[in-house]
Amino acid sequence: MPKIATIVGARPQFIKCAPVSREIRKYFTEILIHTGQHYDKNMSQTFFEELSIPEPDYNLEIGSGNHGYQTGKMLIKIEKVLLDVEPDLALIYGDTNSTLAGALAAAKLHIPVAHVEAGLRSFNRKMPEEINRIVADKLSKYLFVPTQTAVNNLVKEGHTEGIYNVGDVMYDSFLFNLNRIEADAVLNKFQLRSKEFILATIHRPQNTDDPAILKELISALENLNELILFPIHPRTRNLMRKFNMTVNSNNLKLVEPVSYQEMIVLEKHARVIITDSGGVQKEAYFAGVPCIVLRGETEWVELVEHGWAHLIGNDFKKIQATLESLGSFQSSSDRIFGDGAASRKIADILNGNKTIDNSKTQV
Ligand code: UD1
Ligand code: UDP
């Protein structure tokens, strides 16, 4: 069987690769390379176990560091593995430093690259992810895009070939996992009642790295007169420690990062979601829950256009007013993110399977 080297390293990539891995293993030998960008048990191993992702064949144990250092170390170690394995294709996901390093290492060795979640743009080059995406897309032969907007972005940048609008693999994951865990057990574990709490996540550097901004944000959450469950990303936890910040309200419940299946149950039962995460914004839509986005722009513009997500940037005073203005939420029948079969389409396209009508996905 032909060989695919999959390169992942951060939490959202484990969630994205789980359904794709299941599909591609029907036709290919997959060699799973974990860069070790995320390494805490609840940021890495938990997802492999819960989502039945096969053990990585290689864990490069890169760990944390500045962008150049982290990406550089990944590049050196990924290249070594690729030289060893000689795959027919390298498969990368999303927009992290692991994505960039995987794309660069493979392209320099003339290994074709397939990028899942290609074509997204925030048009904000201060986001490290924007740089990673642009480079990864430029170096990829297969551009598996989740939305029509992503297709348009690539076409505007001059991409003419290899664009496949397959839908969003995170939607596949959401549908596959939603009912695999008992909702009551999750709500009891966190002492919550359905629709009587807000779920919050924060990890973007623009919200966390400046102590004044992070303090203002945490204090805005503390002052909301509602129960908030806040599974805290290690970046944010570490920075709160560094800035000597403590939480002074019983309403704001900080907990360790939760598992994916717990997370999507919490999303489904939250009254509102407040987040700066890319993945959580989309899952709020999948779950039919309104979302306040702690960013000034988003790659997922459809969510804003359809009234599902509300961008407030870092004007945190707007959180309260936005919460008050949220009307009742109508479930949309639009299939903005595809039909939940993105992973199967990706595997079929890579396999050159003629039973799938590529004309419907290819641009
Ligand atoms: C990374 C991605 C971001 C993605 C996010 C998903 C880049 C540039 N950023 O951001 O696009 O949205 O992952 O969660 O690739 N840390 C731990 N334990 C861990 C992992 C991280 O303590 O297991 C702490 C370290 O202090 C580290 C910090 O979190 O310095 C940031 O980790 P890093 O992987 O560099 O970036 P993220 O903010 O997680
Ligand atoms: N997630 C999780 N546990 C948590 C927080 C998030 O499983 O405690 C999941 C979430 O459901 C989504 C993904 O992690 O699928 C999003 O990852 P993250 O917010 O770290 O990164 P981003 O999507 O912004 O790149």
Side-chain angles (χ1 to χ4, degrees):
M1 280 207 272
K3 286 189 277 189
I4 292 186
T6 294
I7 299 145
V8 290
R11 173 168 68 186
Q13 293 169 328
F14 311 139
I15 293 157
K16 289 167 199 174
C17 88
V20 180
S21 185
R22 264 196 305 279
E23 292 294 333
I24 61 173
R25 282 176 188 243
K26 292 178 185 164
Y27 312 116
F28 299 92
T29 301
E30 184 180 39
I31 297 100
L32 198 52
I33 306 170
H34 184 336
T35 63
Q37 177 171 350
H38 286 174
Y39 43 86
D40 289 351
K41 183 168 189 289
N42 58 20
M43 292 296 286
S44 175
Q45 196 189 328
T46 302
F47 297 92
F48 283 81
E49 289 169 4
E50 187 183 68
L51 305 179
S52 304
I53 307 168
E55 279 273 303
D57 297 282
Y58 296 85
N59 189 325
L60 308 182
E61 297 182 345
I62 303 294
S64 309
N66 288 342
H67 288 275
Y69 173 85
Q70 187 182 51
T71 314
K73 270 176 81 181
M74 286 178 191
L75 194 52
I76 294 168
K77 288 200 172 180
I78 295 171
E79 180 181 68
K80 249 193 202 131
V81 175
L82 294 179
L83 283 169
D84 227 33
V85 169
E86 296 184 344
D88 299 283
L89 185 97
L91 185 57
I92 56 170
Y93 291 86
D95 52 22
T96 71
N97 287 347
S98 299
T99 317
L100 174 65
L104 269 175
K108 292 262 183 168
L109 295 172
H110 310 145
I111 298 164
V113 178
H115 185 197
V116 176
E117 215 178 70
L120 297 187
R121 298 291 179 266
S122 64
F123 303 100
N124 174 1
R125 289 211 182 181
K126 287 200 176 138
M127 284 181 82
E129 293 83 359
E130 186 75 352
I131 318 258
N132 295 345
R133 293 174 190 132
I134 292 170
V135 178
D137 285 343
K138 277 281 169 250
L139 298 179
S140 294
K141 174 173 176 185
Y142 294 91
L143 296 150
F144 292 119
V145 306
T147 59
Q148 186 55 41
T149 307
V151 173
N152 301 346
N153 290 338
L154 289 173
V155 171
K156 273 189 215 144
E157 286 177 19
H159 288 271
T160 52
E161 280 177 33
I163 306 173
Y164 298 91
N165 187 356
V166 290
D168 196 316
V169 296
M170 287 189 83
Y171 188 39
D172 300 13
S173 243
F174 185 87
L175 295 177
F176 186 82
N177 285 287
L178 186 58
N179 295 318
R180 285 183 186 252
I181 185 169
E182 178 125 24
D184 281 347
V186 178
L187 293 173
N188 288 341
K189 175 173 172 183
F190 296 101
Q191 296 174 305
L192 298 167
R193 280 205 291 259
S194 185
K195 299 296 162 189
E196 292 185 13
F197 68 97
I198 292 174
L199 180 66
T201 79
I202 302 165
H203 75 278
R204 293 267 159 241
Q206 68 261 33
N207 286 327
T208 58
D209 289 13
D210 177 332
I213 292 178
L214 186 57
K215 279 180 188 161
E216 201 190 321
L217 174 50
I218 297 296
S219 141
L221 295 180
E222 282 173 339
N223 290 330
L224 296 178
N225 203 13
E226 269 195 76
L227 182 58
I228 304 175
L229 186 76
F230 177 15
I232 188 163
H233 190 286
R235 169 188 208 97
T236 314
R237 178 198 62 208
N238 293 348
L239 287 165
M240 281 181 71
R241 274 191 199 141
K242 182 174 162 200
F243 305 148
N244 289 319
M245 291 171 60
T246 47
V247 169
N248 304 308
S249 153
N250 292 331
N251 287 344
L252 182 57
K253 279 178 61 168
L254 267 61
V255 293
E256 286 294 311
V258 300
S259 80
Y260 174 68
Q261 290 178 352
E262 288 175 335
M263 186 67 182
I264 58 178
V265 165
L266 292 168
E267 287 168 345
K268 187 90 192 156
H269 289 270
R271 188 177 84 75
V272 176
I273 293 173
I274 300 179
T275 190
D276 57 13
S277 157
V280 175
Q281 277 174 64
K282 276 185 294 177
E283 287 163 355
Y285 169 80
F286 304 154
V289 172
C291 184
I292 297 177
V293 180
L294 304 167
R295 289 180 48 192
E297 78 289 303
T298 178
E299 312 70 50
W300 306 103
V301 288
E302 296 81 0
L303 298 176
V304 180
E305 282 161 11
H306 288 244
W308 294 80
H310 304 264
L311 295 175
I312 65 156
N314 61 7
D315 187 356
F316 306 128
K317 289 186 290 300
K318 283 194 183 153
I319 297 177
Q320 179 70 54
T322 311
L323 278 174
E324 282 162 16
S325 72
L326 291 171
S328 67
F329 222 48
Q330 290 295 316
S331 220
S332 161
S333 56
D334 297 343
R335 294 203 146 171
I336 303 172
F337 297 102
D339 57 7
S343 310
R344 184 179 51 75
K345 290 178 192 166
I346 289 170
D348 283 348
I349 291 165
L350 291 177
N351 188 39
N353 193 334
K354 300 291 177 286
T355 56
I356 151 163
D357 180 3
N358 281 358
S359 66
K360 288 207 180 117
T361 51
Q362 190 165 15
V363 177

